[in-house]
Amino acid sequence: MSVAHTSTVDTPAGPFTAVVAPDGAVLASGWTSDISLLTPQIHASLMPSEITPRADLGDVTKAVVAYHEGDLTAIDTIEVRQKSGPFLQHAWDVLRTVRAGEPVTYSEYAELSGRPAAIRAAASACARNSVALFVPCHRVIRIGGNLGGFRWGLDVKRWLLAHEA
């Protein structure tokens, strides 16, 4: 039986909630205070048997607060855990190399991921990312600067990109 923990932090972009495995890896996160919007994103093989609230998630909470206060690299060393096929796993790893303030287009992201023609697959990697912020899918935009989509809303994506600029 694995017991994960969850906590919500108020941020300038709205409430941010994370679900963290017993070893500290983030299983799901996003700008919401409703955990029921996060748990469906956790792969079945990683789903904890119980999720209990905590006031603080240690390094994860510190990183979230520091990031929103301006330390844009605070999130870089936080361990994450999500599961899918080989391309998505690789694409999520690649996404963690996209630097704050240097957004890439979906086609550039597909190229960075080793499959330049797989623009839809790259977009799918963003859409299926369960650990928003720590795997910074908000840093992928459309050609021409349009924001594209974002599970947590375009106002949040706009705030994050402006914060990182």
Side-chain angles (χ1 to χ4, degrees):
M1 175 168 135
S2 73
V3 178
H5 295 96
T6 185
S7 183
T8 301
V9 176
D10 287 326
T11 77
F16 183 88
T17 301
V19 177
V20 175
D23 67 356
V26 178
L27 300 174
S29 56
W31 286 266
T32 181
S33 57
D34 184 352
I35 191 173
S36 72
L37 296 176
L38 294 173
T39 52
Q41 304 307 316
I42 301 172
H43 191 275
S45 69
L46 301 175
M47 183 63 73
S49 54
E50 186 181 341
I51 301 173
T52 61
R54 263 201 183 152
D56 186 283
L57 299 173
D59 289 343
V60 171
T61 299
K62 286 181 194 142
V64 170
V65 170
Y67 169 87
H68 285 87
E69 288 178 347
D71 180 358
L72 304 179
T73 62
I75 58 173
D76 294 350
T77 58
I78 297 299
E79 185 183 348
V80 299
R81 189 169 299 127
Q82 51 185 342
K83 193 170 182 181
S84 189
F87 176 74
L88 287 184
Q89 291 285 158
H90 173 68
W92 290 326
D93 290 342
V94 167
L95 203 43
R96 292 197 87 178
T97 69
V98 176
R99 307 290 4 118
E102 300 174 17
V104 297
T105 65
Y106 287 97
S107 50
E108 290 169 331
Y109 176 42
E111 192 171 322
L112 288 170
S113 297
R115 291 180 48 195
I119 297 167
R120 286 183 193 266
S124 178
C126 290
R128 294 180 59 193
N129 174 28
S130 66
V131 289
L133 184 61
F134 305 104
V135 173
C137 54
H138 63 274
R139 295 179 185 161
V140 183
I141 59 175
R142 289 186 177 154
I143 292 173
N146 268 347
L147 295 182
F150 191 58
R151 175 179 295 137
W152 308 109
L154 293 183
D155 287 343
V156 173
K157 186 171 184 174
R158 194 173 292 110
W159 186 92
L160 293 167
L161 291 171
H163 178 61
E164 293 179 352

